[in-house]
Amino acid sequence: MMVSARLPVAPRPFRDELLSSWMARVAARYGAEPLELMVYLAGQGGRDAGARQVDDVAPDMGLLMLWTKACRIDPERLRRRSLASRYPAQPRDWCLTETVPVCLACFDADVAAGRDAYLRGHWRLTEQVVCPVHRTMLLDRCPTCRGHLRLSLRMLNGLLRPFCRKCDAVLTGGGGEAEDPLKLDFAAGVLDLQRQISEIVRGDTGHLDRLEYAIRTLWAPLDRDGAARPVLALWYDEPGWNCPYEARAAVGRSAPLQHLSVRWRALTLVILHDLFGADLVPGAVLPEAALVLFRRAAPLPWLTDGQDLRKGKGKRTIDAGAERVHRLSKRPVHRSNGNFLDERGDFGRIHP
């Protein structure tokens, strides 16, 4: 009979740390990746559980028990580190599922405090684009190589430090991003919007429904056949504006913010404020500027109860609609499609 492994060294989780971050710190002590250590622990326990990572939002307690036994830690203490436990009112669609953006100033604070670097739990919340402590934009790109940030925790001078997997640059001691006054002003403004969105997300369901409707509509494809750009392309009011590649995965999705980088999520918050003012959500009567945009949204299941209003052919599945948009986004942009001179609207106060 196989017995559960006992790891001789296992750091304790920090109060605001992600579960996956703590597991990465434990694994790094043994020169391994979290999944490799999970496979080892699962093998020691006699179960084939190593093929899955522990979910930061709602972890599988069976997998969590492998870690609690190996690290000799109270299971309830780990369970409380899950996002579902910390933010019980946070819908799962408002938690990031892929790359976790980071705050370099927080990593610098870890260095100054003489502790391991770690990922904060609130960084995985979809509406979080600004660090509330340091009032700087979160980063999802490496400041050195500018590639999509894939973090690795490695030992440096006896403590774990964050590194970019692509270029091996250490992500501490920078701080250059926070010194630009324009970026600081922008981050401060977005931070206020971020706080309002957080209150809506965890507050009144009616306001949340209207907020999600507005975001889905902004990221719905335009109603012209062959157009693969989102409705918010019209907000730019620029002839020939093309949706950047990094944002195309969000077009036509039911939860677009989950598929967007930090800067595009921040821009979405700014557009909501532009269109709906301090409330950030549409009311009973849409402002004229919002009405101009929303009229141009292609009918999607989550916007029209599954009915294609143009063709009247019943329901279109979410997956089919998204696949069509992503397929079209790879084609060359025809001059008659999307946001060109004849597609521009008069936005008045938005673009004086």
Side-chain angles (χ1 to χ4, degrees):
M1 179 178 177
M2 302 186 71
V3 296
S4 299
R6 293 291 189 271
L7 300 177
V9 177
R12 305 293 94 173
F14 295 109
R15 181 179 297 274
D16 58 340
E17 185 174 15
L18 277 173
L19 269 176
S20 57
S21 171
W22 171 72
M23 293 172 182
R25 290 197 299 119
V26 173
R29 287 292 193 281
Y30 301 94
E33 293 293 328
L35 188 57
E36 294 173 333
L37 187 56
M38 173 72 83
V39 171
Y40 170 75
L41 296 179
Q44 290 293 312
R47 292 185 294 172
D48 184 20
R52 291 180 291 146
Q53 292 276 24
V54 170
D55 184 6
D56 279 320
V57 181
D60 182 297
M61 288 305 297
L63 297 182
L64 214 57
M65 288 300 295
L66 293 175
W67 289 85
T68 60
K69 292 178 180 178
C71 301
R72 298 176 297 280
I73 189 171
D74 181 9
E76 183 61 21
R77 182 177 180 182
L78 285 189
R79 189 195 66 79
R80 288 197 299 266
R81 297 297 182 274
S82 69
L83 297 184
S85 178
R86 292 183 193 176
Y87 309 100
Q90 186 89 4
R92 194 177 182 99
D93 282 349
W94 285 84
C95 295
L96 298 175
T97 57
E98 299 176 3
T99 302
V100 180
V102 302
C103 171
L104 299 188
C106 285
F107 288 151
D108 288 339
D110 294 334
V111 173
R115 60 175 176 249
D116 286 345
Y118 67 97
L119 302 181
R120 276 64 173 173
H122 61 269
W123 290 349
R124 196 175 272 284
L125 303 183
T126 303
E127 74 274 14
Q128 296 289 314
V129 293
V130 179
C131 175
V133 177
H134 300 101
R135 303 174 70 87
T136 58
M137 297 296 297
L138 300 182
L139 296 181
D140 50 16
R141 285 186 174 272
C142 173
T144 301
C145 68
R146 300 298 176 183
H148 289 288
L149 186 60
R150 295 183 63 242
L151 201 69
S152 174
L153 294 176
R154 307 174 192 172
M155 295 298 295
L156 180 65
N157 299 326
L159 291 171
L160 289 171
R161 295 290 173 249
F163 287 80
C164 171
R165 289 181 184 272
K166 184 175 182 180
C167 67
D168 293 326
V170 62
L171 301 175
T172 57
E177 294 288 335
E179 296 175 0
D180 188 335
L182 293 178
K183 291 184 178 181
L184 285 174
D185 290 343
F186 178 77
V190 174
L191 180 58
D192 291 335
L193 302 180
Q194 174 180 294
R195 289 169 177 159
Q196 288 181 257
I197 294 294
S198 293
E199 292 175 359
I200 294 173
V201 170
R202 298 172 211 153
D204 180 56
T205 304
H207 280 75
L208 176 58
D209 289 342
R210 285 185 283 161
L211 173 66
E212 291 180 336
Y213 170 77
I215 294 173
R216 289 167 181 165
T217 305
L218 287 173
W219 284 99
L222 289 168
D223 58 355
R224 173 171 287 185
D225 287 336
R229 283 170 285 182
V231 168
L232 64 76
L234 299 178
W235 180 84
Y236 277 90
D237 197 22
E238 293 181 5
W241 184 85
N242 195 12
C243 183
Y245 182 79
E246 67 173 350
R248 291 181 183 179
V251 179
R253 299 284 188 175
S254 60
L257 293 188
Q258 282 189 321
H259 305 276
L260 291 170
S261 63
V262 167
R263 62 178 180 174
W264 283 102
R265 284 187 280 132
L267 178 63
T268 303
L269 302 190
V270 171
I271 294 176
L272 289 172
H273 183 266
D274 248 349
L275 295 178
F276 306 113
D279 292 338
L280 299 181
V281 296
V285 179
L286 286 179
E288 182 61 27
L291 192 59
V292 171
L293 267 66
F294 282 26
R295 283 173 177 167
R296 296 300 314 278
L300 292 174
W302 48 85
L303 298 179
T304 62
D305 296 326
Q307 296 295 322
D308 187 333
L309 299 183
R310 291 176 299 167
K311 299 181 180 179
K313 293 185 178 180
K315 295 188 176 182
R316 292 161 49 189
T317 65
I318 292 176
D319 290 340
E323 287 177 4
R324 172 182 174 275
V325 170
H326 300 155
R327 184 174 65 254
L328 291 172
S329 70
K330 298 177 182 178
R331 297 180 181 176
V333 179
H334 190 273
R335 65 181 180 83
S336 296
N337 289 342
N339 181 25
F340 283 83
L341 288 175
D342 61 339
E343 299 286 308
R344 300 169 69 185
D346 180 11
F347 293 96
R349 62 180 179 82
I350 297 180
H351 298 284

